Amino acid sequence: MKKTPCKELVAVPDISTEEAQRVLSAGVRRAAEMALPVNIAVFDTGANLKTFVRMDGALLGSADIAMGKARTSALFQLDSEALFEYCKPGGTSFGLENSNGGLVVFAGGKPIRNAEGVVVGAVGVSGGSVAQDAEIAQAAAAALAAASV
């Protein structure tokens, strides 16, 4: 059996603990400004939970949805709602939401990009209306790029 040399590992940019906390804090601030208790999850590029908060009064059932939105966004490096067009009946990938252990394909999941525009993680928010979740996720995701400039 012929041995082959190992290929060099490629480092993938990933959100640090400090950056994840900054994103989470920005989301909590925006939710507090809106007087809206939500769940906020921050995932790394490998779609693993980095940090999470369930604000006082946030719906218990929304915790899993927030994590699902962040995971969906991390896996596809897209806003979670961008996948709906593929998943819907008549879409090119009907049923895609059933892959990867289940995806959440409505707004509130957003990729987190660093100052160079590279995806380093994702944030998911749930507990308000879909539009409110999206607004909070946007504020949270923007915190890293703004702080990096």
Side-chain angles (χ1 to χ4, degrees), residues 46-116:
N48 299 295
L49 181 63
K50 192 75 175 185
T51 189
F52 174 83
V53 68
R54 182 178 155 276
M55 295 174 68
D56 294 340
L59 297 169
L60 292 172
S62 293
D64 187 57
I65 297 169
M67 288 186 264
K69 290 176 181 183
R71 190 170 165 280
T72 298
S73 189
L75 286 169
F76 291 90
Q77 297 189 358
L78 295 169
D79 290 358
S80 53
E81 70 271 20
L83 290 175
F84 177 73
E85 288 302 313
Y86 299 100
C87 301
K88 70 181 181 183
T92 60
S93 302
F94 178 61
L96 177 67
E97 72 279 6
N98 299 313
S99 70
N100 294 288
L103 303 173
V104 179
V105 295
F106 47 92
K110 194 147 197 65
I112 300 167
R113 299 180 185 277
N114 64 15
E116 292 77 37

Side-chain angles (χ1 to χ4, degrees), residues 21-31 40 136 139-144:
Q21 281 298 134
R22 193 177 319 140
V23 169
L24 186 72
S25 294
V28 168
R29 260 191 317 278
R30 183 65 192 120
I40 303 173
I136 295 165
L144 184 58

